């Protein structure tokens, strides 16, 4: 069985980004970049399936500038067998465009399962996995906190409002990962060194012949309104008094 | 223009988040229809029809929709999509699961988790864990939108829409419901509670959370949690407040033993009054809370519970 894992290069989750003063975008020029945390969970899950003997090949794919090579090298250090970089000057394609590109990759690679993060922590869209599944006409197991693959089925326990739901999907299928699916492994130096020798193919996105246009665009970004400074209270009594008489919320 | 809202319900009761999605839909300037997919879901359809601003309710009552499976639901929505200029659902776990699949079926972009409607084609949405607000212009012929429930008030009753039954679609045969485990609680729903009491790693253990629950009960509040508390197993997953969990905006948010990582802040920063109680006065949340109390939770939580009870007795 073959698994495809799409990974995204994003501003590291610990970095607090700010809009540029002219509102044209977010200043990421010098920010630390990392693999999207949900994609790390997807990589980890793919590796566990491989180590469990269910999967024999894991292919990582990323779409964007040449810098995405770093992200793919991390995926290879996780244990992916090979990686594919679809290069483009545009680094912020809409999810609908990403889903078109990934559908073209799926057509070529013919994986049995696509495992990917439920959302990227930069655009916070939470769309791409669902769009890919819809486009391919495959079943989808979104927000997975547990995944079992057996007898040609993926059994996915999903985190939903109010609890969890388990679905059985016929393969091929798309699964998107939630935080509690697993704890991604720490990448060890020997694996990072080994990853440098693994195959990483680079191709131009344009070669796929996919429509790269989207009719939705971000026209301005702003900082959210700041909250005024708060006060320190000395005791529970003072807190209750202020909540009752000043803020009038109790 | 006509807007279709895809309803969320448990067949008997229309979800609060759908009432909020209807409010957003009416702001899009057009007729609002509601699609109810379910099994024995007439009560939910009637509640949708009674919402102010709803012109028509389409009901598809079939065993195929006994469980909210995106594969079947998306097909049903796509069958009607051509009649509408916008398709709207709450940015709940169901809406997030369903709507991008619908958008892909139409090959259009989706605008996720909108917090404001500036014009029928211009929306505001938070990105980067709420640290940045983006103004998004969507020129798709059919707009596919999910709506952040806390940003819109629930639609009031007072409508009298016609209810029209529509035939079920075919089963795409891609997925099958196995089981569901729902957390039962007598407390108010986290997403719409007026007061939320949340605990983090600093609350300590299950005993600490039992104490926190007593504080929540004294306030008729919902219980929330940070990721650390959920990961430690003190609270169920669906209590997590944050970028990847629930987004809440209550009148009062009390954070006990929560340091306040960016990801947690994203889920509660629009609360009207924020209280942080923490032993660590350097914790990020202590710097931005409206009221910050440096205290040991083992002492502060019982005192808070007793104080609230005393206040309630005095008021009664």
């Amino acid at each position: 069985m073959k698994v495809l894992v799409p990974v995204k290069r994003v501003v590291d989750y610990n970095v607090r980004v700010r809009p540029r003063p002219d509102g044209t975008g977010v200043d990421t020029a010098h920010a630390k970049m990392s693999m999207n945390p949900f994609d790390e969970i997807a990589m980890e899950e793919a590796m566990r399936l491989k180590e469990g003997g269910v999967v024999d090949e894991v292919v990582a794919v990323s779409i964007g500038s040449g810098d995405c090579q770093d992200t793919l090298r991390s995926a290879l250090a996780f244990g992916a067998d090979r990686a594919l970089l679809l290069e483009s000057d545009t680094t912020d394609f809409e999810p609908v465009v990403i889903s078109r590109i990934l559908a073209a990759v799926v057509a070529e690679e013919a994986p049995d399962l696509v495992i990917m993060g439920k959302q990227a922590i930069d655009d916070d869209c939470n769309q791409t996995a669902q769009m890919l599944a819809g486009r391919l006409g495959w079943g989808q197991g979104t927000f997975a906190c547990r995944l079992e693959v057996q007898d040609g089925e993926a059994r996915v326990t999903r985190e939903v409002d109010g609890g969890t739901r388990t679905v059985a999907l016929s393969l091929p299928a798309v699964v998107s990962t939630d935080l509690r699916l697993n704890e991604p492994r720490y990448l060890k130096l020997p694996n990072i060194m080994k990853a440098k020798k693994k195959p990483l193919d680079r191709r131009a996105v344009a070669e796929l012949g996919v429509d790269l246009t989207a009719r939705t665009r971000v026209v301005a970004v702003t900082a959210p309104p700041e909250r005024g400074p708060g006060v320190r209270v000395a005791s529970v009594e003072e807190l209750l008094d202020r909540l009752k008489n000043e803020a009038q919320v109790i | 223009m006509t807007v279709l809202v895809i309803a969320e319900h448990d067949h008997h009761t229309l979800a609060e988040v759908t009432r909020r999605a209807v409010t957003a839909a009416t702001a899009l300037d057009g007729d609002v229809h509601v699609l109810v997919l379910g099994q024995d879901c007439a009560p939910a359809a009637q509640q949708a029809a009674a919402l102010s601003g709803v012109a028509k309710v389409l009901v598809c009552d079939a065993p195929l929709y006994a469980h909210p499976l995106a594969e079947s639901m998306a097909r049903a929505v796509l069958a009607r999509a051509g009649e509408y200029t916008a398709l709207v659902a709450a940015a709940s776990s169901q809406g997030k699961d369903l709507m991008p699949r619908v958008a892909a079926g139409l090959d259009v972009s989706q605008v996720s988790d909108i917090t404001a409607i500036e014009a029928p084609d211009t929306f505001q949405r938070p990105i980067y864990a709420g640290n940045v607000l983006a103004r998004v212009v969507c020129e798709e012929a059919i707009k596919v939108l999910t709506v952040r429930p806390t940003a819109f008030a629930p639609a009031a009753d007072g409508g009298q829409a016609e209810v029209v039954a529509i035939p079920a679609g075919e089963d795409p045969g891609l997925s099958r419901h196995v089981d569901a485990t729902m957390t039962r609680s007598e407390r108010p729903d986290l997403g719409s509670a007026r007061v939320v009491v949340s605990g983090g790693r600093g609350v300590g253990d299950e005993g600490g959370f039992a104490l926190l629950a007593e504080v929540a009960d004294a306030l008729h509040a919902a219980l929330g949690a940070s990721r650390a508390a959920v990961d430690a197993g003190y609270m169920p997953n669906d209590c997590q407040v944050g970028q990847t969990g629930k987004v809440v905006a209550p009148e009062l948010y009390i954070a006990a033993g929560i340091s306040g990582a960016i990801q947690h802040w994203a889920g509660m920063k629009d609360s009207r009054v924020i209280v942080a109680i923490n032993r660590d006065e350097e914790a990020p949340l202590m710097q931005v809370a409206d009221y910050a109390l440096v205290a040991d939770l083992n002492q502060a939580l019982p005192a808070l519970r007793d104080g609230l009870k005393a206040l309630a007795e005095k008021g009664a």
Side-chain angles (χ1 to χ4, degrees):
Chain A
M1 210 174 104
K2 180 170 170 180
V3 177
L4 185 73
V5 183
V7 293
K8 185 177 183 182
R9 182 175 183 265
V10 298
V11 174
D12 188 83
Y13 74 101
N14 275 315
V15 175
R16 185 155 204 161
V17 299
R18 301 211 182 279
R20 284 192 214 108
D22 62 1
T24 54
V26 170
D27 195 4
T28 59
H30 305 289
K32 184 187 174 200
M33 306 295 282
S34 302
M35 187 190 295
N36 181 42
F38 290 96
D39 304 346
E40 290 188 345
I41 295 170
M43 268 313 307
E44 176 65 34
E45 197 64 17
M47 291 324 301
R48 290 185 189 192
L49 288 172
K50 190 177 180 197
E51 286 153 8
V54 179
V55 163
D56 24 61
E57 190 183 20
V58 177
V59 182
V61 57
S62 196
I63 301 160
S65 70
D67 293 336
C68 294
Q69 271 190 94
D70 300 345
T71 315
L72 287 170
R73 288 292 170 202
S74 299
L76 292 167
F78 263 99
D81 297 284
R82 57 191 177 84
L84 174 60
L85 170 58
L86 294 163
E87 273 188 284
S88 163
D89 295 335
T90 308
T91 53
D92 55 353
F93 285 120
E94 286 278 311
V96 70
V97 175
I98 298 288
S99 74
R100 286 183 203 132
I101 297 169
L102 289 177
V105 173
V106 166
E108 286 185 7
E109 293 283 341
D112 302 282
L113 191 61
V114 177
I115 308 180
M116 57 200 296
K118 78 164 180 181
Q119 76 190 63
I121 60 165
D122 52 0
D123 63 25
D124 281 336
C125 279
N126 197 329
Q127 298 176 8
T128 308
Q130 297 88 313
M131 284 183 162
L132 179 62
R135 199 172 281 285
L136 296 169
W138 293 5
Q140 65 187 53
T142 51
F143 329 144
C145 59
R146 188 180 164 88
L147 170 64
E148 286 172 314
V149 180
Q150 54 188 19
D151 309 326
E153 261 190 0
R155 227 165 234 247
V156 184
T157 302
R158 307 177 48 234
E159 288 194 10
V160 298
D161 298 336
T164 58
R165 290 180 181 277
T166 303
V167 291
L169 309 171
S170 35
L171 294 179
V174 179
V175 171
S176 82
T177 60
D178 218 317
L179 289 171
R180 274 165 289 273
L181 182 60
N182 61 47
E183 184 81 31
R185 67 197 58 191
Y186 182 73
L187 301 183
K188 295 198 187 95
L189 189 60
N191 291 342
I192 293 170
M193 300 308 289
K194 241 187 270 173
K196 292 187 176 167
K197 297 201 182 79
K198 288 188 179 176
L200 193 161
D201 293 337
R202 300 171 61 145
R203 292 168 64 189
V205 165
E207 277 177 37
L208 292 171
V210 166
D211 177 8
L212 300 176
T213 56
R215 282 172 296 276
T216 295
R217 59 188 195 281
V218 173
V219 292
V221 300
T222 50
E226 294 273 337
R227 292 185 74 101
V231 295
R232 285 287 159 96
V233 293
S235 65
V236 169
E237 290 69 32
E238 187 192 343
L239 175 62
L240 286 168
D241 178 61
R242 284 184 183 258
L243 287 178
K244 189 171 172 61
N245 299 315
E246 192 173 78
Q248 299 182 345
V249 284
I250 59 170
Chain B
M1 65 192 282
T2 312
V3 181
L4 184 67
V5 176
I6 292 86
E8 187 167 334
H9 57 84
D10 63 0
H11 310 286
H12 307 290
T13 309
L14 191 72
E16 159 96 7
V17 293
T18 296
R19 293 173 178 268
R20 294 170 184 265
V22 165
T23 300
T26 53
L28 286 170
D29 192 24
D31 278 347
V32 174
H33 295 183
V34 178
L35 175 64
V36 179
L37 299 166
Q39 187 179 24
D40 303 325
C41 56
Q46 288 303 334
Q47 289 159 33
L51 289 181
S52 177
V54 174
K56 192 175 180 180
V57 175
L58 307 173
V59 192
C60 190
D61 197 324
L64 183 57
Y65 308 116
H67 304 285
L69 294 170
E71 296 83 353
S72 305
M73 293 179 71
R75 190 177 271 206
V77 176
L78 285 167
R80 314 292 300 203
E83 302 162 33
Y84 296 94
T85 47
L87 307 173
V88 175
S92 57
S93 57
Q94 181 181 308
K96 288 174 180 173
D97 184 42
L98 171 65
M99 297 308 271
R101 193 173 176 103
V102 171
L106 299 167
D107 196 23
V108 301
S109 287
Q110 173 182 305
V111 188
S112 289
D113 216 6
I114 60 170
T115 49
I117 296 169
E118 296 180 5
D121 66 350
T122 308
F123 312 98
Q124 204 175 74
R125 63 178 300 264
I127 56 176
Y128 288 94
N131 284 309
V132 179
L133 291 178
R135 176 181 294 141
V136 181
V137 171
C138 175
E139 286 164 353
E140 302 285 6
I142 302 178
K143 290 166 186 62
V144 179
L145 309 170
T146 62
V147 172
R148 176 168 290 196
T150 56
F152 297 88
D157 285 338
Q160 267 188 322
E162 67 169 323
V163 179
V164 181
I166 60 168
E170 273 175 59
D171 184 350
L174 300 169
S175 62
R176 165 169 69 77
H177 169 84
V178 177
D179 63 30
T181 309
M182 294 294 159
T183 313
R184 302 225 173 273
S185 172
E186 301 298 313
R187 295 200 181 83
D189 171 59
L190 183 57
S192 54
R194 205 188 69 85
V195 182
V196 173
V197 175
S198 260
R201 206 196 311 262
V203 173
D205 52 13
E206 278 162 43
F209 273 89
L211 205 51
L212 197 69
E214 290 177 21
V215 173
D217 289 342
L219 282 161
H220 307 289
L223 258 183
S226 70
R227 184 186 170 189
V230 172
D231 284 349
Y234 300 143
M235 293 284 281
N237 298 346
D238 60 303
C239 287
Q240 185 179 326
V241 171
Q243 182 185 17
T244 61
K246 289 236 173 62
V247 177
V248 301
E251 286 285 294
L252 172 61
Y253 187 89
I254 300 179
I258 296 178
S259 66
I262 298 171
Q263 291 77 17
H264 187 78
W265 180 240
M268 42 64 76
K269 69 185 175 63
D270 293 323
S271 308
R272 188 164 80 78
V273 176
I274 296 172
V275 172
I277 309 174
N278 207 314
R279 204 165 45 188
D280 175 12
E281 62 181 304
E282 302 298 324
L285 203 56
M286 296 290 275
Q287 318 308 315
V288 290
D290 299 298
Y291 301 106
L293 173 65
V294 182
D296 184 335
L297 291 174
N298 289 322
Q299 278 127 40
L301 291 180
L304 194 55
R305 174 200 59 198
D306 296 343
L308 287 165
K309 279 185 181 164
L311 275 177
E313 275 163 28
K314 212 158 67 178

